[in-house]
Amino acid sequence: MTDAIAWDPLRRELDRWQAAGRVARFWLRDDDAVEPTQALETLIALARQSEVPLTLAVIPGLTGEALAVRLAEETSVTVAVHGWSHTNHAGPERKKQELGGERPAEVVLGELGEGFRLLERLHPARFLPVLVPPWNRIDPALIPALPGLGFAALSVYGRARQDGPVPLLNTHVDIIDWHGTRGGRSEAELVAELVAELRDRFAGSDEPVGVLTHHLVHDRAAWDFLSALFAVTGGHPAVRWSPASELLEHVAQKRATVLR
């Protein structure tokens, strides 16, 4: 069950945006999609009911026709490239990373190119030329080569700088407690993070607020949080849940302005 009082700080912040005649943009990215599952059905249904566009970061090396068939008619779902096989190649004392410097760059980039082409073929109407690195980590030396593979943007975690080799379309609020329960985090903590992100935007940043989910590990707390978030924001005039395809144009234009 959700705590209605816990959402008051977000409601007040959104009311402030409304009073100022401003609209905050949100977007939803869900990682590790591979095949149709009951958890994926729950996520798609919740997003559709709330009219929230959904971007699925799909693992190319583990997916196939079944997911493509399932998503074929989901007009509000887009598919991004989630590495190749979500395999950790980092040493035992290092943070997990698939797209690191442990292997030759041509091998890593070859996999990414293959994953790009595979998902583009499987999801022709849903494909988004965005790379979502597993664990949100990528060797910086690989990034300049991404446009040559066809990628229009990179999506990791945290505040985005737009002066790098490719535009960034990042996420900022992860609803999963990876270092504790590995289920949904507390509402109060997540609401506080959302409010902090919105206050940053109100002060001048125009970066969309990215919400990050992982449907395969959602527990009741995670689903309850998403349902409450969509309910609080869905009918508020100061909020727009934007499709990632639209935001791609925004971040590309912003980067062009920064580099001009």
Side-chain angles (χ1 to χ4, degrees):
M1 298 294 292
T2 61
D3 179 1
I5 297 177
W7 291 90
D8 284 347
L10 180 59
R11 293 189 182 94
R12 288 194 296 269
E13 181 63 22
L14 292 177
D15 289 346
R16 181 168 77 116
W17 279 68
Q18 182 183 3
R22 298 179 60 181
V23 176
R25 288 171 305 167
F26 288 77
W27 78 290
L28 177 64
R29 190 189 100 198
D30 182 271
D31 288 3
D32 300 347
V34 171
E35 61 186 356
T37 62
Q38 184 54 56
L40 182 60
E41 292 298 328
T42 300
L43 177 65
I44 291 174
L46 181 59
R48 185 196 307 121
Q49 178 182 1
S50 306
E51 298 184 342
V52 172
L54 167 65
T55 294
L56 292 175
V58 176
I59 305 172
L62 303 181
T63 195
E65 296 286 347
L67 183 63
V69 171
R70 174 60 190 87
L71 298 182
E73 304 303 322
E74 294 293 340
T75 58
S76 294
V77 176
T78 51
V79 170
V81 182
H82 199 27
W84 168 246
S85 62
H86 214 300
T87 300
N88 175 33
H89 296 285
E93 302 302 321
R94 300 186 60 196
K95 291 183 177 180
K96 293 180 179 179
Q97 190 168 12
E98 179 175 60
L99 310 180
E102 296 79 14
R103 299 181 295 157
E106 59 269 22
V107 172
V108 179
L109 295 172
E111 290 180 348
L112 291 179
E114 184 175 352
F116 184 106
R117 293 186 294 272
L118 175 64
L119 294 187
E120 186 179 36
R121 177 181 64 80
L122 288 173
H123 305 274
R126 306 278 164 264
F127 183 68
L128 195 70
V130 172
L131 173 62
V132 178
W135 298 287
N136 288 297
R137 300 186 186 108
I138 182 171
D139 186 339
L142 297 172
I143 297 176
L146 297 181
L149 299 177
F151 289 104
L154 178 67
S155 181
V156 288
Y157 191 81
R159 302 288 172 85
R161 294 180 56 183
Q162 295 300 347
D163 55 356
V166 296
L168 293 173
L169 179 58
N170 283 0
T171 56
H172 311 88
V173 178
D174 187 342
I175 76 169
I176 300 299
D177 178 14
W178 293 109
H179 302 293
T181 66
R182 297 186 70 83
R185 296 167 60 201
S186 76
E187 283 184 316
E189 185 177 20
L190 288 168
V191 168
E193 288 189 10
L194 287 168
V195 170
E197 294 293 337
L198 287 170
R199 287 176 177 168
D200 173 73
R201 273 70 170 172
F202 196 89
S205 170
D206 63 349
E207 184 177 359
V209 178
V211 176
L212 176 58
T213 64
H214 288 73
H215 66 277
L216 292 175
V217 300
H218 284 193
D219 58 4
R220 175 58 65 87
W223 290 122
D224 284 350
F225 174 80
L226 270 190
S227 297
L229 174 63
F230 293 165
V232 169
T233 60
H236 202 289
V239 174
R240 170 172 166 74
W241 283 93
S242 301
S245 55
E246 174 186 296
L247 296 177
L248 268 185
E249 299 179 10
H250 168 76
V251 296
Q253 292 171 359
K254 180 179 178 180
R255 179 174 175 273
T257 300
V258 170
L259 297 179
R260 189 172 300 157

